[in-house]
Amino acid sequence: GQQLNQSPQSMFIQEGEDVSMNCTSSSIFNTWLWYKQDPGEGPVLLIALYKAGELTSNGRLTAQFGITRKDSFLNISASIPSDVGIYFCAGQRFISNFGNEKLTFGTGTRLTIIP
Amino acid sequence: DGGITQSPKYLFRKEGQNVTLSCEQNLNHDAMYWYRQDPGQGLRLIYYSQIVNDFQKGDIAEGYSVSREKKESFPLTVTSAQKNPTAFYLCASSIGRRPQHFGDGTRLSIL
């Protein structure tokens, strides 16, 4: 099955720095989602984007749905220790008249904060 | 609180043994999903179910089986035919076109 191209694979930053990561696809998606996963836990939804060009913020997080519907980026401003984890993008498309979605995930960006 | 409960948190399988992972949700979601996560990789879809008594294969269904007898429950059986079962298994659910929400996972290891 397809996986999205997510970059960078890992980031090592100092506390207070800004972070940027992105996902690209060869296919169009109806929705872009960004999740964060802590070790040994399930992914937690951060931001959902539903329209091409949409720019949405959630606290220090900002994400955009690309105009072509084939890409998305996530920015984190003024990083703090609890931002450490793995960030996944996911593209969502409709799979039936039930309206339920099938997700295609990126390979993840591992964020580490250097003391 | 409403949510998705996966059990057990850790599971060990002997060679040739089938094991079943539990997933229960009290969110009244119609759709449920099972994913497999390997180190350094994203999530890959094993099976999904949109309504009770119906389910569909995902991208990596071989060696797995599911059932959906109740709306709240979507157990996953890892059969002996799955030759590389060691992984982190995640269950998710959704309603309509809203985003999927995930449980906390089950880590399966081979003895």
Side-chain angles (χ1 to χ4, degrees):
Chain A
Q2 177 192 12
Q3 287 199 321
L4 303 176
N5 297 314
Q6 185 172 348
S7 64
Q9 284 190 324
S10 59
M11 302 184 73
F12 297 85
I13 63 168
Q14 291 188 321
E15 185 176 348
E17 286 187 35
D18 296 343
V19 171
S20 183
M21 59 192 78
N22 68 81
C23 270
T24 59
S25 170
S26 56
S27 306
I28 289 173
F29 290 103
N30 302 111
T31 301
W32 280 93
L33 306 171
W34 285 92
Y35 290 88
K36 177 177 183 274
Q37 186 177 28
D38 291 326
E41 297 183 12
V44 174
L45 181 68
L46 298 174
I47 291 180
L49 302 156
Y50 297 102
K51 292 193 295 188
E54 179 181 356
L55 184 71
T56 297
S57 294
N58 178 9
R60 293 178 297 105
L61 278 61
T62 302
Q64 184 158 30
F65 191 145
I67 290 290
T68 65
R69 296 168 63 192
K70 293 183 179 180
D71 63 311
S72 177
F73 72 75
L74 174 71
N75 288 341
I76 306 172
S77 62
S79 58
I80 61 177
S82 62
D83 291 335
V84 167
I86 303 176
Y87 293 80
F88 290 100
C89 63
Q92 184 167 269
R93 58 168 62 93
F94 309 140
I95 55 177
S96 76
N97 290 332
F98 290 103
N100 304 120
E101 304 290 339
K102 183 176 180 180
L103 289 181
T104 300
F105 281 85
T107 50
T109 295
R110 182 180 295 274
L111 181 63
T112 302
I113 294 183
I114 306 168
Chain B
D1 286 344
I4 301 169
T5 302
Q6 291 188 240
S7 62
K9 184 71 173 175
Y10 300 94
L11 188 59
F12 298 91
R13 194 191 89 169
K14 295 180 180 179
E15 295 286 345
Q17 187 181 48
N18 293 353
V19 291
T20 298
L21 285 61
S22 170
C23 179
E24 304 277 333
Q25 54 97 3
N26 60 4
L27 301 168
N28 199 34
H29 284 178
D30 299 305
M32 297 186 74
Y33 312 79
W34 274 105
Y35 292 89
R36 171 182 172 136
Q37 186 177 28
D38 293 288
Q41 297 192 31
L43 283 65
R44 293 183 291 166
L45 183 64
I46 304 172
Y47 268 98
Y48 63 97
S49 168
Q50 298 172 84
I51 56 171
V52 174
N53 293 323
D54 182 72
F55 49 83
Q56 306 294 329
K57 291 182 179 180
D59 300 319
I60 55 165
E62 185 175 351
Y64 300 98
S65 66
V66 293
S67 63
R68 186 86 186 277
E69 297 177 0
K70 298 187 300 182
K71 187 176 184 178
E72 304 80 24
S73 178
F74 191 39
L76 173 74
T77 297
V78 184
T79 75
S80 57
Q82 172 51 243
K83 297 307 178 187
N84 184 22
T86 298
F88 192 49
Y89 290 87
L90 288 157
C91 178
S93 69
S94 68
I95 185 166
R97 293 179 173 176
R98 296 180 185 173
Q100 294 176 24
H101 291 270
F102 287 83
D104 279 340
T106 293
R107 187 167 299 281
L108 176 63
S109 302
I110 300 302
L111 291 176

